[in-house]
Amino acid sequence: MTVLTGVNGSGKSTLIQSLLLARHATEFNDRKFLPLNGPHGLSLGEASDVLNLDAADPYIDVVVRAGNFDFRYKFAAPDERSLNLQIVSRPEIAPAPFNEHGRRFAYLTAERLGPRDQLQVNAEDVTWLGVGEQGQYTAQILATEGSRAVRESLVHPDSSTDSSRTLRAQVERWIGEVVRPIRIDAQWPPGLSTSVIRFAEPGWRGEPIRPTNMGFGFSYTLPIVVGGLLMPPDGLLIVENPEAHLHPAGQSRLGRFLARVAGSGVQVIVETHSDHVVNGIRLGIAENRWLEHMDAVVHYFGQAAGPVSPATLEVTEKGELSSWPEGFFDQLETDLGRLARARRNGTAQSRARGEQSGFSQP
């Protein structure tokens, strides 16, 4: 579990984009140029937008370390207005998740699809198709793969029967915990190139409810849960802003779910601005014991500009953090302190006014 957090514009998304570039350079191994816009949610503009302003030469190096091995990628910007990067070099053997299509590498962008009456379908083999970077294939996956069994290490702890270990049942279990209990019906109607999801209240009398009448929390969380439950034990799951549109309690519970996914052998990378998500991950370590504490790390990006060297925070067995840098989720304490001072100042001013008018304050 790798958590990326910090101030806006400090480099968190840049780190994820570097991984996406390396992934695409591996996937398109027959190409000499890599498009900066289009594939799998990548939208980086022109070469001048991705090349550091202080760069001495027009090259970008990305190094991915897996175990004791370094996998090096080198890109060049042909010119500032180019919409492609030239692939100068890439490793002959890439990290395992980068080297395969489908579910082994999953990226969910912060701009996931909100409530939709219809979702996309993909002609690729559904046995390896993921939920898509915006969650656009979630309904298709649930409609076609809903009866497949979920890995034992990802089964909700309250599940007891074999029938409740299917993907659909487990999605309902985890969504019920993160958001609230709900039934989910996903269909891919014959003859149509779209898929649909309908929700219903628990119980056999629940009437179908359109996603547009359920709010954004369900639609934004559903692809994270489905994608996480589909991941093989050596896969890579990247999620941006999992907390979007969720109540704080739901954010914490989603953090616990992601800790469960990481504990099952998946490399999980989370970019978040939510202390509730971070605390949920810590609970998954300290309370649930779903994830070993040495298998989690938090990188705090505290600089808003210039070269960034994030602070690395380790997690203890009790879920504590090795340090608490200034600016790291301390806004609540800062605001409460200012409110306390404001109350004291207000009381003092009221007393002063009372003394001036000849009345004493109680």
Side-chain angles (χ1 to χ4, degrees):
M1 167 67 73
T2 299
V3 179
L4 310 175
T5 188
V7 299
N8 298 110
S10 58
K12 303 182 299 297
S13 296
T14 300
L15 192 154
I16 291 175
Q17 289 161 357
S18 300
L19 291 174
L20 295 179
L21 281 176
R23 151 72 167 170
H24 298 326
T26 302
E27 183 179 13
F28 303 125
N29 57 13
D30 59 339
R31 299 184 184 180
K32 295 182 178 180
F33 289 89
L34 186 67
L36 287 170
N37 306 282
H40 308 299
L42 208 58
S43 181
L44 300 180
E46 301 175 353
S48 60
D49 296 314
V50 297
L51 190 64
N52 192 290
L53 294 176
D54 299 324
D57 51 49
Y59 295 105
I60 298 173
D61 293 295
V62 177
V63 181
V64 180
R65 174 164 292 176
N68 296 322
F69 297 95
D70 287 349
F71 300 88
R72 298 181 177 274
Y73 297 79
K74 190 178 188 68
F75 306 97
D79 61 70
E80 291 188 353
R81 297 303 308 275
S82 175
L83 297 176
N84 300 281
L85 289 179
Q86 181 184 357
I87 302 174
V88 178
S89 64
R90 54 191 153 202
E92 293 184 6
I93 300 177
F98 288 26
N99 218 16
E100 292 188 11
H101 294 282
R103 297 169 185 167
R104 201 172 185 182
F105 185 105
Y107 164 63
L108 279 162
T109 179
E111 195 177 0
R112 298 184 287 280
L113 293 180
R116 297 287 194 277
D117 268 349
Q118 298 179 343
L119 291 170
Q120 297 179 32
V121 295
N122 193 301
E124 301 288 354
D125 186 351
V126 294
T127 59
W128 65 261
L129 179 66
V131 294
E133 67 277 358
Q134 290 186 294
Q136 64 267 35
Y137 307 129
T138 302
Q140 181 184 3
I141 289 294
L142 281 175
T144 57
E145 299 283 281
S147 60
R148 65 171 291 170
V150 168
R151 289 193 292 125
E152 186 66 29
S153 55
L154 292 173
V155 169
H156 192 281
D158 291 342
S159 302
S160 57
T161 64
D162 291 338
S163 61
S164 67
R165 283 164 163 73
T166 63
L167 176 63
R168 173 179 170 176
Q170 288 302 306
V171 168
E172 290 182 345
R173 285 276 191 176
W174 285 107
I175 286 290
E177 179 169 315
V178 173
V179 188
R180 68 178 177 85
I182 202 75
R183 289 196 294 116
I184 302 172
D185 181 25
Q187 298 181 10
W188 181 9
L192 295 180
S193 57
T194 59
S195 55
V196 296
I197 283 182
R198 293 294 182 266
F199 299 99
E201 298 295 335
W204 65 273
R205 297 172 64 179
E207 294 295 326
I209 305 173
R210 294 177 181 272
T212 49
N213 293 325
M214 290 297 296
F216 277 71
F218 286 98
S219 297
Y220 260 62
T221 305
L222 188 60
I224 299 176
V225 173
V226 175
L229 293 177
L230 286 173
M231 292 298 294
D234 54 354
L236 173 59
L237 173 65
I238 304 173
V239 183
E240 292 181 336
N241 299 119
E243 68 270 15
H245 300 290
L246 277 179
H247 182 275
Q251 296 177 28
S252 175
R253 293 164 186 163
L254 187 56
R256 290 174 63 245
F257 169 77
L258 291 170
R260 177 91 171 194
V261 175
S264 74
V266 177
Q267 170 69 62
V268 179
I269 299 176
V270 177
E271 188 273 322
T272 181
H273 292 281
S274 169
D275 53 343
H276 305 297
V277 170
V278 175
N279 291 337
I281 293 171
R282 295 165 65 190
L283 283 171
I285 294 171
E287 183 178 75
N288 301 112
R289 305 292 181 182
W290 290 339
L291 176 65
E292 296 290 340
H293 71 96
M294 69 282 294
D295 291 334
V297 67
V298 178
H299 294 299
Y300 173 63
F301 294 72
Q303 299 290 330
V308 177
S309 296
T312 298
L313 316 180
E314 297 178 353
V315 186
T316 70
E317 189 175 1
K318 296 180 180 180
E320 299 169 341
L321 297 175
S322 58
S323 63
W324 204 279
E326 182 179 356
F328 178 74
F329 294 126
D330 56 6
Q331 194 61 43
L332 175 62
E333 288 76 11
T334 299
D335 289 345
L336 290 178
R338 293 177 64 182
L339 285 170
R341 288 192 293 273
R343 285 196 298 270
R344 290 195 297 269
N345 293 338
T347 301
Q349 292 172 3
S350 296
R351 286 175 176 169
R353 287 194 296 269
E355 292 172 355
Q356 292 174 0
S357 62
F359 294 96
S360 60
Q361 295 294 318

